Amino acid sequence: MSLAVTPSASDLVQERRLLTEIPGPKSQALQARKVAAVSNGVGVMLPVYVVRAGGGILMDADGNSLIDMGSGIAVTTVGNANPDVVAAVQEQVANFTHTCFMVTPYAGYVEVCEALNRLTPGDHEKRSALFNSGAEAIENAVKVARAYTKRQAVVVLEHGYHGRTNLTMGMTAKNMPYKQSFGPFAPEIYRVPASYPFRDRGIKGPEMAEVAITRIEREIGATNVAAIVIEPIQGEGGFIVPDPGYFRGMADFAAKNGIVFIADEIQSGFCRTGDWFACQYEDVVPDLITTAKGIADGMPLAGVTGRAEIMDSVHPGGLGGTYGGNPVACAAALAAIDWMERNDAPALAREIESIMMPRLREMALQFPAIADIRGRGAMIAIELVKPGTMDPNSDLAATLNRYCHQHGVVTLTTGTHGNVFRFLPPLTMPRHLLEEALTILQQAFEEATA
Ligand code: PLZ
């Protein structure tokens, strides 16, 4: 059922099946209730209301089965409702649901930290701490870096995304929809150029790192910088894979200047890119690494992992939160991590890449709007332009997205200009559904450009 190893992910029939229009009448009725009950500020991309999911399928309230090319934004990497995760959660939830680790602890939290310390890059001594969301992990990584360095400045990148809390909004590059009218933002956040090979007019990675480093030295002063926070592959910014040498150049600069180098692997981590962590591709060992999303198959859990001397520099009681490292979320994480290890999840991600890339390259020959194909593993995207120019084509991205949705494929767009079409299938995606999703994308292009 899956790509290679057949880790039967679910008893849901693995086929795309449309019984009604999308969204169907039951979903439409639920959406009307949503509008009446849920803040308008909480957007919904595709209002099909899900009742079951697994393998490569999302099933909605009207009985439609859609192909899931989004994994809930890179979360259900081991397959939605993965049976191992379900069993672990059920066992834990029947034993106890919560104690608060800071009050009376439990083994699951410690075991997740042990797994994070073992799996993240580098064989130095490490410590971890657990939280509820990616944004919270970033907040805490910055707290730790400031406590350790006794400095304040935080350096982030153009096109970076780190969350929606006040600090992480300030660290996020894009205004709409994340920041508009929500300021003022936290101080001491500085943005420097990222490496964006498609739009950098031939500037190589090391050269772009020099540009960013010069900016840090001139405008902030290296000795004032607590942390540099970088996504090894930028997610919400448009699946931007930096040119080789950029990421390493920034990490080396941090090391030379006593700056804590933080890899935000919240989207790219946990086997998504064909490695356990995307920073392994350039052989970079970050001081701290933030994780969330794929760690626990959708149960809310996030982590900060890093050098023991940095993580232990915080005073006792300085880190925490009522729910951080909730026992049910920890049980899910341990089952998800075990599944990834047993099924060689990085290889499954690479196999998805090997199926998608040739199909996308073929489409690019036919449709000149596809100006760049990039990403790694099961984190792949195409950037769309107005043919013959470099102008972002967000209208086409929206049109393709609509076509795919109406034809039962859940796709996502991304990017600073909204012109990047991204693919984040679960690693349990059966090959025939992956191929079918690509065929529907092909048809979407045909119709949009007819
Ligand atoms: N860092 C690299 O990708 C979350 C955002 C969806 P939270 N990305 C999806 C949305 O529109 O809110 C993300 C990320 C990276 C941090 C985060 C934040 O993680 O769990 O959403 O707080």
Side-chain angles (χ1 to χ4, degrees):
M1 209 164 70
S2 168
L3 287 146
V5 283
T6 322
S8 176
S10 167
D11 60 354
L12 258 190
V13 178
Q14 295 296 302
E15 66 177 12
R16 182 179 65 102
R17 190 179 48 192
L18 299 184
L19 305 178
T20 70
E21 61 182 325
I22 300 292
K26 286 186 179 146
S27 280
Q28 286 180 35
L30 282 161
Q31 180 65 8
R33 285 168 57 190
K34 183 266 176 194
V35 169
V38 180
S39 163
N40 188 44
V42 181
V44 168
M45 179 193 72
L46 171 58
V48 298
Y49 281 73
V50 174
V51 293
R52 283 197 68 195
I57 287 291
L58 294 170
M59 185 184 271
D60 75 11
D62 294 283
N64 299 301
S65 289
L66 296 89
I67 303 175
D68 180 13
M69 293 295 282
S71 301
I73 322 189
V75 172
T76 56
T77 305
V78 299
N80 213 316
N82 177 304
D84 299 350
V85 174
V86 171
V89 164
Q90 284 174 339
E91 191 186 331
Q92 178 57 48
V93 86
N95 286 337
F96 63 96
T97 49
H98 173 83
T99 64
C100 186
F101 188 76
M102 303 181 300
V103 179
T104 48
Y106 37 88
Y109 188 116
V110 178
E111 286 164 10
V112 171
C113 291
E114 287 169 348
L116 282 166
N117 298 348
R118 175 170 58 84
L119 292 164
T120 50
D123 48 19
H124 51 278
E125 199 172 330
K126 295 175 206 152
R127 302 282 187 273
S128 291
L130 303 180
F131 305 97
N132 302 295
S133 67
E136 214 189 332
I138 294 287
E139 292 257 359
N140 281 280
V142 171
K143 279 164 68 172
V144 169
R146 284 177 168 161
Y148 175 72
T149 58
K150 304 191 169 55
R151 304 172 180 179
Q152 294 186 347
V154 175
V155 172
V156 292
L157 300 188
E158 284 171 0
H159 310 289
Y161 182 92
H162 302 288
R164 291 178 184 260
T165 58
N166 184 266
L167 175 66
T168 60
M169 256 193 302
M171 293 170 66
T172 290
K174 190 173 172 178
N175 181 48
M176 275 303 270
Y178 308 121
K179 301 165 79 166
Q180 175 65 35
S181 73
F182 296 147
F185 304 113
E188 290 301 322
I189 299 164
Y190 300 89
R191 195 171 307 289
V192 299
S195 166
Y196 190 163
F198 175 63
R199 295 194 175 272
D200 283 349
R201 301 166 201 274
I203 303 176
K204 289 291 163 201
E207 216 182 318
M208 193 54 100
E210 270 317 307
V211 173
I213 288 164
T214 303
R215 283 271 292 277
I216 294 171
E217 287 173 332
R218 302 267 157 79
E219 297 178 18
I220 316 165
T223 55
N224 294 318
V225 179
I228 299 176
V229 187
I230 298 186
E231 299 158 82
I233 296 179
Q234 293 185 308
E236 305 305 308
F239 283 23
I240 304 167
V241 184
D243 194 58
Y246 178 84
F247 191 61
R248 144 107 13 236
M250 297 300 280
D252 288 348
F253 171 74
K256 270 188 225 127
N257 290 279
I259 298 166
V260 177
F261 187 73
I262 303 174
D264 179 350
E265 293 256 16
I266 286 162
Q267 188 154 168
S268 59
F270 278 103
C271 309
R272 179 53 56 188
T273 64
D275 283 303
W276 274 84
F277 296 95
C279 57
Q280 290 171 293
Y281 187 84
E282 275 204 58
D283 231 358
V284 167
V285 177
D287 297 314
L288 300 183
I289 175 161
T290 56
T291 52
K293 292 189 183 274
I295 190 176
D297 199 25
M299 296 300 288
L301 189 72
V304 181
T305 300
R307 296 186 188 281
E309 66 273 21
I310 300 176
M311 291 297 290
D312 282 344
S313 69
V314 178
H315 56 277
L319 303 177
T322 305
Y323 298 116
N326 167 272
V328 183
C330 286
L334 292 169
I337 291 168
D338 183 58
W339 188 96
M340 289 180 198
E341 293 197 282
R342 276 187 290 109
N343 292 287
D344 193 0
L348 293 175
R350 290 193 296 271
E351 197 173 343
I352 286 174
E353 176 180 347
S354 74
I355 294 165
M356 293 194 67
M357 281 300 192
R359 293 277 312 262
L360 293 172
R361 282 196 202 104
E362 244 170 73
M363 281 186 224
L365 294 176
Q366 206 181 338
F367 307 109
I370 305 178
D372 195 28
I373 305 170
R374 58 184 182 244
R376 281 192 200 116
M379 186 172 183
I380 303 281
I382 51 179
E383 176 153 359
L384 305 172
V385 297
K386 297 182 179 133
T389 73
M390 292 289 280
D391 300 343
N393 197 342
S394 57
D395 289 347
L396 179 59
T399 304
L400 296 173
N401 218 22
R402 211 172 313 118
Y403 183 99
C404 288
H405 295 169
Q406 278 160 3
H407 291 79
V409 183
V410 179
T411 47
L412 309 171
T413 58
T414 185
T416 301
H417 310 289
N419 67 324
V420 177
F421 210 78
R422 63 170 153 177
F423 309 98
L424 290 162
L427 304 185
T428 51
M429 176 64 71
R431 183 177 181 136
H432 72 275
L433 290 184
L434 187 61
E435 298 274 8
E436 194 176 349
L438 289 163
T439 299
I440 286 162
L441 178 67
Q442 163 97 22
Q443 290 163 359
F445 269 108
E446 279 159 13
E447 188 169 288
T449 54

